Amino acid sequence: MTEKPWFIIMPSFWSARIMTDFGGVPLSKIFLLPHGYDKRVIYPIPLRSLGCQSLREELGVPMEGILLLNVGAGTQNKNVELLIEVFAKLSEDYPSSALVVKTMTDLYSSAMNIQDAVMQSRSMTSSVLWLDGIYPDEIMGTIYRCADVYVSPYMAEGFNIPVLESLASGVPVVVSRGGPTDEFVSSESGLFVDTTMLQYLDDGMPVRYLQVNETSLKETLKFVMDDFYYGNKAWLSKARKAAAPSVVTYEWTEIAGKLQGFIDVGLDIV
């Protein structure tokens, strides 16, 4: 009996290598299909629009202050606790700055750890803001668009959709170097935090992750904030212009077309 052809769809080369290195799946059996974004709700607008003014007023963030954003499950691999710690220390020198952390404890109970981290940061700053809940797409789109910079010092990801959605919203990013975001974040639209790739066994199962260099994260955020407050936003302005155009091929209709093409040729991928 002839064996039926089979393939595994993975969203990034990073995740594909996990399957090949740890799962023994031949790379020829993996079809790379990245995630995408919905351009009906994820799109760029002028940063200081009326919608952003209203959001900042609601959050208590002054219009003249920088707003950093992180969105996610709040799980350990997101490394949000380190981000909060580093930002809290830096914010002493940038009093009008703010870090907004958005989680979903209804889906991920581990996000309660983020609430604890935010409360601990209160001893140094009141500029770390925690938003929690499942928000409508339109509200999430507004939150993305009104951020100045999106920050994701992750340790492991399969893809990292919020980084893509931020770029599509016209928002520059700060991300870990060496992970899946290397595949769609350019040096024109983002900055990279140094990491070291590590690997260990957890109950016999191999685990691979990025150890984020705390000094590099601090220096990168300081560069961003200095540029905002003292550098006439030279980097920020240039990066904002590059962000959305850099990911136009990741719109969901484009991704769906790639999947349809994969199916149409009968899974005969070269």
Side-chain angles (χ1 to χ4, degrees):
M1 185 176 179
T2 304
E3 180 183 358
K4 293 183 178 180
W6 60 271
F7 289 87
I8 296 176
I9 297 177
M10 301 299 290
S12 65
F13 187 70
W14 164 274
S15 56
R17 287 309 302 259
I18 298 295
M19 293 297 294
T20 59
D21 293 349
F22 298 156
V25 178
L27 196 58
S28 61
K29 289 294 185 180
I30 296 177
F31 177 52
L32 292 181
L33 187 72
H35 292 304
Y37 66 92
D38 187 346
K39 65 180 180 182
R40 295 172 298 180
V41 293
I42 301 294
Y43 52 84
I45 60 171
L47 182 59
R48 296 300 188 261
S49 66
L50 290 176
C52 290
Q53 292 180 31
S54 299
L55 177 65
R56 282 174 173 262
E57 289 176 2
E58 184 177 343
L59 295 174
V61 179
M63 291 299 293
E64 67 273 12
I66 190 172
L67 194 161
L68 308 181
L69 176 67
N70 177 276
V71 175
T75 47
Q76 184 179 7
N77 64 296
K78 307 294 183 180
N79 214 13
V80 183
E81 289 94 336
L82 177 62
L83 171 59
I84 292 173
E85 179 184 348
V86 170
F87 172 80
K89 294 175 181 177
L90 281 173
S91 65
E92 297 176 355
D93 297 325
Y94 308 92
S96 61
S97 61
L99 168 63
V100 174
V101 177
K102 167 68 176 63
T103 59
M104 297 176 288
T105 53
D106 287 345
L107 291 179
Y108 305 98
S109 59
S110 59
M112 293 305 297
N113 295 332
I114 305 304
Q115 183 185 28
D116 294 339
V118 172
M119 295 307 296
Q120 291 174 12
S121 73
R122 290 285 189 264
S123 62
M124 292 181 284
T125 180
S126 60
S127 298
V128 180
L129 309 175
W130 182 48
L131 303 179
D132 186 64
I134 301 175
Y135 290 13
D137 291 344
E138 293 74 14
I139 293 179
M140 282 307 306
T142 299
I143 292 173
Y144 276 127
R145 287 187 289 273
C146 294
D148 290 296
V149 179
Y150 185 88
V151 188
S152 179
Y154 63 90
M155 295 188 290
E157 290 278 2
F159 184 82
N160 206 328
I161 294 178
V163 171
L164 175 64
E165 292 179 327
S166 294
L167 290 171
S169 300
V171 177
V173 300
V174 172
V175 294
S176 300
R177 186 191 304 278
T181 52
D182 283 7
E183 299 171 36
F184 59 91
V185 177
S186 71
S187 58
E188 287 75 30
S189 60
L191 298 173
F192 298 90
V193 178
D194 293 338
T195 66
T196 302
M197 187 180 297
L198 299 177
Q199 190 170 303
Y200 67 96
L201 292 178
D202 183 7
D203 290 333
M205 294 294 292
V207 176
R208 179 179 293 167
Y209 71 101
L210 300 172
Q211 184 180 64
V212 176
N213 185 304
E214 182 175 343
T215 300
S216 178
L217 175 60
K218 178 180 179 180
E219 291 175 349
T220 304
L221 292 184
K222 187 177 187 305
F223 169 84
V224 169
M225 296 165 83
D226 281 345
D227 175 77
F228 184 91
Y229 289 105
Y230 311 119
N232 200 30
K233 303 182 180 64
W235 172 81
L236 182 63
S237 299
K238 185 177 179 180
R240 285 190 68 88
K241 291 179 181 178
S246 71
V247 293
V248 291
T249 58
Y250 287 84
E251 199 275 319
W252 272 125
T253 56
E254 297 282 338
I255 303 303
K258 292 180 181 179
L259 177 59
Q260 186 63 57
F262 178 65
I263 295 172
D264 289 344
V265 297
L267 304 183
D268 185 17
I269 301 299
V270 178

